[in-house]
């Protein structure tokens, strides 16, 4: 019956083309457009850029003639997919999924056809798939951007797939996906408690901003960024630490002692607590007041 | 008798308001069962508890042999509560497909059948945001019936419909019960419709059950034979039964089975009978009496 809930929710989302397009296609397309425009602008200013001694090496590398390893490029992008732009638009889709039945007053149609837990978990599953789709399209957009860059700067392409790169891709993609889904769970809890689509959208954003500034807020109190309180309040930092562990970029400093455990615990709490809270609240909720 | 719905001491309070007050109700399997009551009587609250939308404060309720929330039992039931709402971006056909998936019933073959049965074939591929209230009602009924439930709960199924639509809905409800063997439980303010459609009714008032029984039995209570004849005094004198004057007529307090014999006797005694018809209590009168509202004059019965 959870499968029924997932199939039904997935079917409904596919018919909601406006939400589907905004939450999965918009950011990858805009990213590709802006990326391509940037490449052509750089090409037009190539002489000026390459003669500027203060230009960052990363920019110069983009315009160099060294080969581009397409696989490496994809693997690197996979670890950056939990960026704010993609997150915002996936949250639009998530908020619609979680709060839509309150807005459309359709709980009365489905609450007698499936258990409340299945209904909510079905929404979570579809939201997770939505995030996967958005991330997949983002990777495709990134691939096209790489091809455009190679073409514009006449850089040869290579496809050097190694086990390390494959592992980097999987772990980066997986952790980014987990982070996005974690954010949507805050939206789930907000949707269930407030029955509001807008609140379901904005609460995760506000919480995300607050998490971002947590180290700066705690620092004057003598709480270090790797302290328990700081890591537990800031799953973003926990995610960054986990990415360092699994991706192991060259030159990255080692993690402080105990940081791995703190990070895992922080991510676990920020994943399970909103989910458990939403399930508990929804199970007791009066659905006649939609 | 098998009961499809059973409540014992069912209570629901909202603060100081008791929407349901220890309701004991048994709805048998088969036929069409009406639930009547004025606004605030507890009809909608009862349905919402049975559908798992809200939780009772006290008491128990069972549906199709299982407790409320037993999904297996609930899936043998269909429902339409209040004016149905649907995702505005979906077409009627997509709505039914979505609900079929949610319900775990496979196949799209039944959807055209149900759309046709509720008269929505022409509008099947229109988005519901453009539907009238009557069309929403029809789609809601189709959604309730699509899974071929054994029990259907309909709350005001004819609300917003035009007279032809009401007639079609009445025929559909009766056919569900008589041809498909579905137990239909409906709430309606259209007392005349309920009297025509329902086999049994329950009248709720202030959260309690105040009257329950077969429609035919309830409306036969207090039934009398109204006679208009000349001369009226001669009619009165000729009768050997208890009678009272009602304007230019006489109300004879006899059973239906005694009616033909009385009329023959009056005619044999030279009374010219101009009019003879049964008058009794209709559902509307019972409703107003039981709910403490203004009582209407006695209504006519056909025949």
């Amino acid at each position: 019956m959870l499968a029924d809930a997932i199939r039904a929710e997935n079917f409904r989302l596919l018919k909601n083309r406006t939400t589907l397009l905004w939450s999965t296609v918009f950011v990858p397309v805009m990213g590709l457009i802006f990326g391509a425009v940037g490449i052509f602008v750089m090409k037009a200013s190539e002489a000026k850029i390459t003669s500027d001694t203060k230009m960052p090496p990363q920019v110069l590398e983009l315009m160099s003639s060294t080969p581009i390893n397409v696989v490496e490029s994809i693997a690197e992008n996979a670890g950056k997919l939990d960026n704010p732009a993609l997150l915002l638009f996936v949250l639009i889709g998530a908020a619609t999924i979680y709060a839509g039945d309150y807005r459309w007053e359709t709980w009365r149609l489905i609450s007698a056809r499936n258990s409340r837990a299945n209904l909510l978990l079905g929404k979570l599953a579809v939201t997770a798939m939505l995030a996967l789709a958005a991330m997949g399209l983002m990777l495709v957009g990134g691939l096209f951007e790489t091809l455009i860059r190679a073409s514009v700067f006449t850089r040869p392409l290579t496809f050097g797939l190694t086990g390390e790169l494959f592992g980097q891709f999987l772990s980066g993609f997986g952790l980014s996906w987990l982070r996005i889904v974690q954010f949507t769970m805050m939206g789930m809890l907000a949707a269930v408690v407030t029955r509001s689509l807008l609140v379901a959208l904005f609460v995760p954003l506000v919480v995300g901003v607050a998490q971002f500034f947590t180290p700066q807020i705690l620092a004057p109190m003598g709480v270090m960024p790797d302290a328990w309180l700081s890591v537990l309040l800031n799953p973003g930092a926990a995610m960054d630490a986990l990415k360092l562990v699994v991706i192991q970029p060259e030159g990255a400093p080692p993690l402080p002692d105990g940081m791995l455990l703190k990070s895992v615990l922080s991510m676990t709490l920020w994943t399970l607590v909103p989910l458990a809270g939403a399930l508990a609240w929804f199970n007791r909720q009066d659905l006649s007041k939609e | 008798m098998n009961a499809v719905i059973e409540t014992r001491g069912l209570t629901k309070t909202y603060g100081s308001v008791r929407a349901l007050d220890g309701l004991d109700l048994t709805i048998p399997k088969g036929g069409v069962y009406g639930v009547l009551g004025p606004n605030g009587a507890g009809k909608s609250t009862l349905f919402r508890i049975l559908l798992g939308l809200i939780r009772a404060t006290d008491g128990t309720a069972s549906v199709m042999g299982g407790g409320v929330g037993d999904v297996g039992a609930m899936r043998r039931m269909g429902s339409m509560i209040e004016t149905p709402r649907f995702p505005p971006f979906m077409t009627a056909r997509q709505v039914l497909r979505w609900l079929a998936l949610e319900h775990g019933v496979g196949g799209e073959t039944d959807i055209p059948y149900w759309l046709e049965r509720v008269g929505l074939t022409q509008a099947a591929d229109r988005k519901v945001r453009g539907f009238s209230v009557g069309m929403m009602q029809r789609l809601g009924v189709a959604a309730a019936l699509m899974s071929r439930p054994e029990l259907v709960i309909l709350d005001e199924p004819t609300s917003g419909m035009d007279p032809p639509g009401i007639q079609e809905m009445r025929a559909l409800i009766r056919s569900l019960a008589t041809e498909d063997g579905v137990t239909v439980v409906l709430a309606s303010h259209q007392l005349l419709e309920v009297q025509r459609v329902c086999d049994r009714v329950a009248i709720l008032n202030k959260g309690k059950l105040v009257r329950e029984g077969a429609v035919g039995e309830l409306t036969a209570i207090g039934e009398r034979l109204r006679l208009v004849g000349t001369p009226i005094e001669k009619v009165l004198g000729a009768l050997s039964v208890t009678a009272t004057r009602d304007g230019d007529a006489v109300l004879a307090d006899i059973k239906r089975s005694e009616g033909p014999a009385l009329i023959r006797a009056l005619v044999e005694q030279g009374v010219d009978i101009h009019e003879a018809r049964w008058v009794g209590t209709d559902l509307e009168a019972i409703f107003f009496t039981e709910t403490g509202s203004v009582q209407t004059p006695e209504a006519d019965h056909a025949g």
Side-chain angles (χ1 to χ4, degrees):
Chain A
M1 292 185 198
L2 175 60
D4 295 334
I6 294 172
R7 272 194 291 265
E9 196 67 50
N10 190 52
F11 178 83
R12 181 164 60 170
L13 177 63
L14 290 175
K15 300 307 170 192
N16 191 351
R17 292 189 182 125
T18 304
T19 297
L20 195 61
L21 287 174
W22 277 106
S23 54
T24 57
V25 173
F26 180 74
V27 173
V29 168
M30 294 309 293
L32 175 59
I33 291 172
F34 280 112
V37 167
I39 289 168
F40 287 113
V41 167
M42 287 172 65
K43 181 64 179 175
S45 313
E46 188 173 11
K48 185 179 177 184
I49 292 173
T50 50
S51 64
D52 186 347
T53 56
K54 297 178 186 173
M55 192 58 58
Q58 295 90 333
V59 175
L60 295 174
E61 195 276 337
L62 287 173
M63 304 169 63
S64 72
S65 58
T66 56
I68 299 176
N69 185 341
V70 175
V71 176
E72 185 177 11
S73 173
I74 292 174
E76 283 178 1
N77 288 339
K80 303 172 188 173
L81 290 173
D82 55 341
N83 60 77
L86 189 65
L87 180 62
L88 170 63
F89 282 85
V90 169
L91 278 172
I92 291 174
T96 303
I97 292 169
Y98 291 133
D101 285 299
Y102 294 104
R103 179 175 237 192
W104 305 315
E105 299 180 64
T106 46
W107 278 121
R108 66 191 76 170
L109 287 176
I110 58 177
S111 63
R113 298 174 196 257
N114 215 325
S115 73
R116 292 203 183 190
N118 284 339
L119 290 173
L120 208 57
L121 291 174
K123 289 175 181 292
L124 174 61
V126 172
T127 301
M129 288 191 281
L130 180 77
L132 279 176
M135 292 168 67
L137 288 175
M138 200 74 184
L139 282 178
V140 171
L143 175 61
F144 277 111
E145 189 180 328
T146 299
L147 296 177
I148 293 171
R149 186 168 2 114
S151 173
V152 168
F153 292 106
T154 58
R155 296 178 67 179
L157 294 172
T158 63
F159 295 88
L161 176 61
T162 65
E164 184 182 347
L165 282 176
F166 186 66
Q168 180 182 346
F169 168 79
L170 280 182
S171 51
F173 190 90
L175 287 172
S176 297
W177 175 76
L178 180 61
R179 183 74 175 126
I180 292 176
V181 172
Q182 189 186 68
F183 259 100
T184 69
M185 283 185 192
M186 285 188 266
M188 176 202 286
L189 180 58
V192 169
V193 171
T194 66
R195 308 172 190 244
S196 166
L197 193 150
L198 281 179
V199 173
L201 173 61
F202 283 113
V203 161
L205 296 176
V206 169
V207 171
V209 170
Q211 289 172 351
F212 180 79
F213 287 107
T214 297
Q216 290 89 322
I217 295 170
L218 293 177
M221 304 177 201
V223 179
M224 301 303 291
D226 61 337
W228 271 105
L229 181 63
S230 183
V231 178
L232 286 177
L233 290 179
N234 187 6
M239 176 59 71
D240 291 339
L242 290 175
K243 284 183 182 176
L244 283 176
V245 171
V246 297
I247 298 172
Q248 297 178 345
E250 281 186 33
L255 286 183
D257 288 341
M259 188 63 178
L260 180 59
L261 174 63
K262 295 171 192 173
S263 300
V264 169
L265 195 59
S266 177
M267 289 296 293
T268 303
L269 286 173
W270 279 94
T271 302
L272 294 183
V273 168
L275 177 60
L279 283 170
W281 191 288
F282 185 58
N283 205 37
R284 306 288 307 174
Q285 194 171 49
D286 179 352
L287 292 180
S288 63
K289 299 174 190 171
E290 291 176 307
Chain B
M1 90 186 135
N2 285 336
V4 291
I5 292 172
E6 199 159 4
T7 71
R8 288 291 171 263
L10 196 64
T11 302
K12 177 65 179 178
T13 56
Y14 294 100
S16 59
V17 176
R18 290 176 84 87
L20 285 179
D21 191 2
L23 179 69
D24 292 330
L25 179 66
T26 300
I27 297 179
K29 184 176 179 179
V32 183
Y33 195 98
V35 178
L36 309 178
N39 291 336
K43 306 185 299 298
S44 293
T45 303
L46 169 64
F47 288 168
R48 286 170 182 160
I49 291 174
L50 294 175
L51 293 171
L53 287 170
I54 59 176
R55 294 180 186 273
T57 309
D58 199 4
T60 61
S62 69
V63 180
M64 302 303 295
V68 172
D70 178 341
V71 178
M74 305 277 272
R75 281 188 162 188
R76 294 157 60 201
M77 178 176 71
S79 65
M80 184 181 74
I81 297 296
E82 299 174 356
T83 304
R85 300 269 191 266
F86 306 103
F89 51 85
M90 297 180 95
T91 66
R93 195 187 306 276
Q94 290 168 351
V95 165
L96 295 184
R97 179 68 182 137
W98 162 55
L99 292 173
L101 288 169
E102 193 73 71
H103 204 102
V105 294
E108 296 194 37
T109 53
D110 276 353
I111 294 174
Y113 167 76
W114 287 110
L115 287 170
E116 184 180 346
R117 198 153 175 196
V118 298
L120 283 178
T121 302
Q122 299 299 320
D125 296 308
R126 279 174 50 189
K127 293 198 191 301
V128 296
R129 64 164 58 95
F131 274 21
S132 65
V133 172
M135 293 168 78
M136 294 283 228
Q137 291 285 122
R138 291 169 187 267
L139 185 56
V141 171
L145 301 177
M146 185 179 53
S147 58
R148 299 194 182 271
E150 297 168 44
L151 166 67
V152 173
I153 295 179
L154 302 174
D155 190 0
E156 302 287 351
T158 57
S159 173
M161 285 188 173
D162 55 14
I166 292 174
Q167 195 174 46
E168 288 171 24
M169 187 58 62
R170 190 194 316 151
L172 173 61
I173 291 172
R174 282 309 313 174
S175 75
L176 283 173
T178 56
E179 295 171 18
D180 299 299
V182 177
T183 305
V184 181
V185 177
L186 69 91
S188 177
H189 287 125
Q190 307 289 337
L191 297 179
L192 186 59
E193 289 302 311
V194 170
Q195 187 163 336
R196 286 177 179 173
V197 171
C198 294
D199 302 303
R200 298 185 70 88
V201 295
I203 300 177
L204 306 185
N205 192 29
K206 296 179 183 175
K208 291 183 186 289
L209 177 66
V210 294
R211 197 73 172 271
E212 198 274 344
V215 171
E217 290 173 6
L218 290 175
T219 54
I221 295 171
E223 194 173 49
R224 288 182 284 183
L225 182 61
R226 187 173 191 274
L227 295 162
V228 177
T230 54
I232 192 72
E233 293 79 5
K234 195 174 179 183
V235 171
L236 277 172
L239 286 174
S240 57
V241 297
T242 306
T244 53
R245 187 178 298 200
D246 178 30
D248 62 347
V250 169
L251 293 172
D253 193 6
I254 60 170
K255 296 177 186 173
R256 268 206 181 223
S257 56
E258 297 167 350
L262 175 62
I263 292 173
R264 268 200 302 276
L266 289 171
V267 169
E268 285 168 1
Q269 291 182 33
V271 175
D272 294 327
I273 304 294
H274 299 300
E275 184 182 324
R277 56 188 170 89
W278 290 98
V279 296
T281 306
D282 72 351
L283 211 52
E284 189 177 87
I286 297 172
F287 178 90
F288 286 124
T289 301
E290 294 294 346
T291 60
S293 303
V294 173
Q295 195 161 6
T296 58
E298 295 199 25
D300 294 342
H301 281 219

